Amino acid sequence: MELNLFMNSLELFSLKNKVAIVTGALGLIGKNHCIALSEAGANVVACDLDDERCKIFASSLSTKSIGVGVDITNKSSVEKLRDKSLNEFDRIDILVNNAAINDMFENPQVAAEQSMFENYPLDMWQKSLDVNVTGTFLCSQIIGTEMAKTGKGSIINIASTYGLVGPDQSIYKKPDGSQSFYKSPAYPATKGAIVNFTRFLAAYWGNKGVRVNTLSPGGVENKQDEYFVNNYSAKTPLGRMALPTDYNGAIIFLASDASSYMTGANLIVDGGWTAW
């Protein structure tokens, strides 16, 4: 990638005329990734399972953007995403692999027992592997190959602090000491895989001008029970959970020329959760 050595520092963060694909675009953080990239000038391809909702959301962004329904675990579906993006914009500059499953147990009466490692269902484990790991693999392979052909691009894989450290199960305890839920094994295992998959891709495609980095966010406050928010915040040096907008700067940085000499790295934005 050739950079203008006389570019203003703030201009390095501009994504004007760039095209960014974001998977999991309808989720809490995914929506903010799309908004941030659009505000920085990128045309966004907002992707999630629901095609119509993706289109409606994309129409609300500040740049020319499109919504595309996609199943990231299905190769032909991802290939159609690539083709639609190229047909619409004739280029792909940024891929944010954000789509992921974070286990939710529908029946709170059995959540504690079902989420225990000893009882954790194999089908839930497999589904997380399919979406969190295989989905990231397919999107990177199919869309990243287009970047490699053109000799430039930025892939951002969204991991988690739980890809770096083991879950502290005590933060899920209620004030009376009972355990309502255990953080299950699939999410930490798959997010840990993403961190090292990033390193593989960075080393593999470095000579093709494709940069690949990980963004590891901490937990986002989103109407959780007060006891959980308090427990989580007490373990964080900044004393709070993240706001959905706390990752906007990081995503723009990793997508833009501001991080042009950065690849294979893991940018941890967690309020200090992993610092102690």
Side-chain angles (χ1 to χ4, degrees), residues 22-82:
V22 181
T23 67
L26 297 180
L28 181 65
I29 298 181
K31 283 185 175 179
N32 278 276
H33 290 336
C34 293
I35 292 168
L37 293 168
S38 178
E39 289 177 342
N43 300 313
V44 177
V45 182
C47 311
D48 217 307
L49 288 170
D50 191 320
D51 184 71
E52 187 59 30
R53 287 181 60 208
C54 286
K55 290 176 179 176
I56 293 171
F57 172 62
S59 69
S60 72
L61 298 175
S62 58
T63 52
K64 180 183 178 182
S65 300
I66 61 172
V68 179
V70 63
D71 176 0
I72 63 169
T73 68
N74 183 287
K75 184 176 181 179
S76 64
S77 183
V78 178
E79 288 173 338
K80 290 176 182 177
L81 165 63
R82 173 201 61 198

Side-chain angles (χ1 to χ4, degrees), residues 91-130:
R91 60 187 291 173
I92 301 171
D93 302 283
I94 301 152
L95 168 63
V96 182
N97 282 313
N98 174 71
I101 290 177
N102 193 357
D103 285 331
M104 300 292 289
F105 294 87
E106 294 182 5
N107 185 350
Q109 302 302 317
V110 299
E113 182 178 356
Q114 193 175 26
S115 61
M116 292 177 66
F117 175 69
E118 293 86 347
N119 305 322
Y120 186 68
L122 178 60
D123 62 331
M124 295 185 74
W125 170 265
Q126 189 62 58
K127 188 174 183 180
S128 289
L129 286 173
D130 289 344

Side-chain angles (χ1 to χ4, degrees), residues 4 42 50 53 55 105 132 137 141 160 163 209 215 233 261 267:
N4 182 350
D50 191 320
R53 287 181 60 208
K55 290 176 179 176
F105 294 87
N132 299 4
F137 163 82
Q141 183 184 62
S160 167
L215 171 59
S233 299
Y261 196 55
L267 181 57

